[in-house]
Amino acid sequence: MNIIRLSLKDALVIEPKVHGDIRGFFMESYNDSLFKQQGITYNFIQDNQSLSAEAGVMRGLHYQLNPKAQTKLIRVLTGAIYDVIVDIRKSSPTFGQWVGVILSEHNKRQLLVPKGFAHGFCTLVPNTQVLYKVDEYYSPENDRGILWNDPALGIDWPTSNPTLSDKDQRHPLLKDAEMNFD
């Protein structure tokens, strides 16, 4: 596997080895031993999957507060997304900065989102399925978010008129969001 370190500390893009032939392809999307050899030692305990029927569906920006914060390993099964992470660790030199990457069924890239980051994505094509591993269970009382179009963040999303859940339309701005990451 190829590991690409992003400009936000501890965030990674992981490119698995893909073995293709006339039948299609085979890849190991997750191998605990190989990940540990690369210093990726999270204990993933749950898989989550979403289907977005249309292009322009936005989910996020989401995170969970400590002590139920989650590390996520994101990949796309079908379709494509523009995936964004925002550093919300108050003591980080990159606090409030974001990085966006395209994950798709074709590039087979995965994004490792460490604790202390808000995460969201926008679908680029219809019928996009996203699968992600987490290292902590969902905790409704610790579930938080940041408004997707916060002007202070200036995220360059691929749409200005996304399809959003009611919850995602009501998230606070970064300056008003509850965060407990150092």
Side-chain angles (χ1 to χ4, degrees):
M1 89 179 90
N2 184 32
I3 305 294
I4 301 166
R5 301 201 180 280
L6 299 175
S7 59
L8 304 179
K9 186 177 186 291
D10 302 322
L12 306 171
V13 169
I14 300 166
E15 295 178 330
K17 287 185 180 174
V18 179
H19 307 279
D21 61 24
I22 61 171
R23 300 168 297 167
F25 74 91
F26 172 85
M27 69 178 209
E28 290 181 347
S29 61
Y30 181 77
N31 179 312
D32 188 61
S33 177
L34 290 176
F35 273 58
K36 285 180 178 167
Q37 288 174 23
Q38 295 293 327
I40 304 168
T41 59
Y42 302 101
N43 180 31
F44 294 109
I45 59 173
Q46 179 177 314
D47 282 356
N48 300 320
Q49 185 171 344
S50 69
L51 167 67
S52 298
E54 301 295 329
V57 170
M58 182 143 348
R59 298 176 187 262
L61 298 159
H62 302 146
Y63 60 95
Q64 286 188 179
L65 296 173
N66 283 318
K68 298 294 183 180
Q70 295 176 319
T71 298
K72 299 175 182 177
L73 182 61
I74 318 287
R75 71 186 182 105
V76 171
L77 300 175
T78 59
I81 62 174
Y82 184 64
D83 206 337
V84 171
I85 57 174
V86 179
D87 188 346
I88 58 172
R89 301 169 296 178
K90 293 178 183 176
S91 61
S92 171
T94 56
F95 175 79
Q97 293 181 26
W98 63 275
V99 170
V101 297
I102 293 176
L103 304 179
S104 74
E105 66 181 290
H106 301 293
N107 70 21
K108 297 177 182 40
R109 287 180 154 191
Q110 300 179 74
L111 178 63
L112 182 77
V113 183
K115 291 172 174 66
F117 286 79
H119 169 257
F121 64 84
C122 181
T123 59
L124 300 174
V125 297
N127 297 313
T128 294
Q129 290 191 56
V130 177
L131 176 71
Y132 59 100
K133 296 182 168 310
V134 294
D135 68 349
E136 183 60 61
Y137 296 110
Y138 174 67
S139 172
E141 60 274 10
N142 291 286
D143 185 28
R144 299 292 186 279
I146 297 168
L147 192 62
W148 69 278
N149 61 349
D150 183 339
L153 296 174
I155 297 171
D156 188 18
W157 292 106
T159 183
S160 59
N161 188 25
T163 302
L164 294 157
S165 70
D166 290 341
K167 179 179 104 171
D168 287 349
Q169 292 178 49
R170 295 188 311 265
H171 288 311
L173 300 173
L174 176 66
K175 69 180 180 69
D176 300 321
E178 182 181 358
M179 296 171 275
N180 64 359
F181 306 100
D182 291 325

